[in-house]
Amino acid sequence: MTETDIWTPLEIESEGVGGDDELIGRLDDMGPGELTRVLTEEKGLVFRGFEAAPDRLDEVLGRLLPNRLAYVHGNSPRTKVGSNVYTSTEYPQEFTISMHNEMSYAHSWPARLAFYCQIQPGGGGATPVVDAALWLESLDAEVREAFAGGVRYVQNLHDGYGLGKSWQDTFETTSREEVEAFLKPTGADWEWKSDGSIRVSSVRPATTRHPVTGAEVWFNQADQWHPAGLGDDTASALAQILPEDELPQNVTFADGSPIPAGYVAQIRDRGLEHAVDVDWRTGDLLLIDNVLLAHGRRPFTGDRRILVAMSD
C-alpha cells in the first residue's frame, strides 16, 4: 500500500436535508443486506452532517445494529445510558487508548460497533481505527511466531472493593450462579476466593479470520492486559501494590510463560502508527466491522461524550 493509497473509512454525508429523518431514510433505502455488504467491503462507515439527535438514537441504532448486545464480560469502565447503549471507555482524557478489537479476549465478541458523538471534544479526541490485517502484517515475524500458540488472559474481579472492576459490574449481575452459567460454555477456568472475588483464566487465539472475507487479522488484547502496556511509571507503581498475577487483569502466552515487554511495546506502537483518525462533530456516527478494524482513542481537551453500542 503506497502513501497515496491509504485506507480510510467510507464517509456517507448528508445531502443537505440533515436530521434523523434523512439518516433513517437513507438507511432504510440501503436495507440491512446492502448495509452489511458495504460495511464488509469498506470495513468502516462514517455518517457525517446528519446531526442525529440523542432522543432518536434508538431508531438509528435499530437499523445499524440488528441485535444490540449487553456489555457482559467487558473489562473497561463504562456507564450504561440506555437499552444496551454505553459510554465509551471512561479513562482519563489525557491518555491514549491503544488499538483493540472489542472483547477479542472473550469466547465471543460483537460483529460490529456503532459510535455516536453526543458532545464533540474541545480538542483532539479522535477515534483512531486500524485495518487489523495490516496491523498483523506490520508486526515482526518473531512476534507473530511467538503468539502462534495463543494467549492466556487472567482477570481478578473483586467483590465491590478493590482495583479494577467488580465481578458484579463485569457480568451485570449479583448472582454467582449467573456468572458460572455464563462462564461454563466459554472454556474458561474460574475460582471463587474467600474474600468474595473471582479469578477467571481463559486461553484464546492471538489472531482470527473474518467469517466472510477470510482475512486473517491481529485479534487479541495482549498489549492492553500486560503491565508494560501501561507505561513504565504506572507499571512500576502497580508492581509495588500487587504481584503481577493478582492485578485486575494480566496476560501471558498460552502456556503461562511471560510475554516480553518489548513485544508489547511493538504491538501497541505499530497499531497506533498505522491507524487512521476519525474526528468527531456532534451528531456524527461511526459504524465498524469489529473483526476487520481495531479502534482506540486519542487524548482530548474539554468535554467529550461518545456513546457506543454493539451487535452480533
Side-chain angles (χ1 to χ4, degrees), residues 11 45-49 88 113-129 276-288 295-300 303-308:
E11 293 208 0
L45 308 175
V46 183
F47 297 88
R48 297 276 195 202
S88 58
L113 307 178
F115 300 86
Y116 167 72
C117 181
Q118 185 174 7
I119 302 173
Q120 68 187 57
T127 294
V129 291
V276 174
D277 283 354
V278 176
D279 293 311
W280 290 110
R281 296 193 298 267
T282 299
D284 286 350
L285 287 122
L286 167 65
L287 182 68
I288 68 172
H295 65 281
R297 189 201 71 188
R298 301 293 186 187
F300 64 96
D303 294 327
R304 179 187 189 270
R305 184 174 174 87
I306 306 295
L307 304 183
V308 63

Side-chain angles (χ1 to χ4, degrees), residues 28-40:
D28 286 344
D29 289 344
M30 184 178 288
E34 178 68 3
L35 178 65
T36 296
R37 185 195 68 77
V38 174
L39 179 61
T40 301

Side-chain angles (χ1 to χ4, degrees), residues 204-241:
R204 308 291 182 214
T207 68
T208 193
R209 289 189 179 274
H210 190 271
V212 176
T213 70
E216 185 179 13
V217 300
W218 188 248
F219 199 76
N220 66 80
Q221 290 187 31
D223 61 311
Q224 290 198 328
W225 286 54
H226 196 289
L230 300 172
D232 292 341
D233 292 343
T234 304
S236 297
L238 282 174
Q240 296 177 21
I241 300 171

Side-chain angles (χ1 to χ4, degrees), residues 37-202:
R37 185 195 68 77
V38 174
L39 179 61
T40 301
E41 183 177 301
E42 301 290 343
K43 305 181 181 70
L45 308 175
V46 183
F47 297 88
R48 297 276 195 202
F50 296 95
E51 299 182 355
D55 61 356
R56 296 191 67 187
L57 185 60
D58 269 351
E59 293 178 72
V60 175
L61 291 178
R63 288 155 172 82
L64 296 176
L65 304 173
N67 180 33
R68 257 182 282 167
L69 302 173
Y71 188 58
V72 177
H73 203 189
N75 68 318
S76 64
R78 302 177 188 270
T79 301
K80 192 170 186 177
V81 297
S83 178
N84 289 343
V85 179
Y86 301 81
T87 57
S88 58
T89 303
E90 296 171 349
Y91 285 140
Q93 61 190 58
E94 64 269 24
F95 295 126
T96 296
I97 297 177
S98 61
M99 309 310 294
H100 60 287
N101 304 78
E102 198 66 43
M103 298 184 71
S104 56
Y105 54 84
H107 77 293
S108 63
W109 48 83
R112 61 176 70 168
L113 307 178
F115 300 86
Y116 167 72
C117 181
Q118 185 174 7
I119 302 173
Q120 68 187 57
T127 294
V129 291
V130 66
D131 182 327
L134 175 62
W135 191 7
L136 172 62
E137 182 184 338
S138 75
L139 299 175
D140 292 352
E142 177 186 351
V143 174
R144 296 197 302 267
E145 291 166 7
F147 278 84
V151 295
R152 180 180 297 276
Y153 299 102
V154 177
Q155 288 176 289
N156 292 294
L157 303 171
H158 60 77
D159 190 31
Y161 300 95
L163 290 176
K165 293 180 72 175
S166 69
W167 62 261
Q168 294 92 336
D169 286 341
T170 298
F171 295 101
E172 294 192 3
T173 182
T174 57
S175 166
R176 290 192 178 196
E177 291 75 17
E178 289 183 12
V179 172
E180 294 185 4
F182 177 89
L183 290 173
K184 279 179 182 177
T186 70
D189 297 318
W190 68 89
E191 175 189 3
W192 293 101
K193 301 296 188 66
S194 59
D195 62 359
S197 65
I198 184 173
R199 179 183 176 90
V200 181
S201 175
S202 310

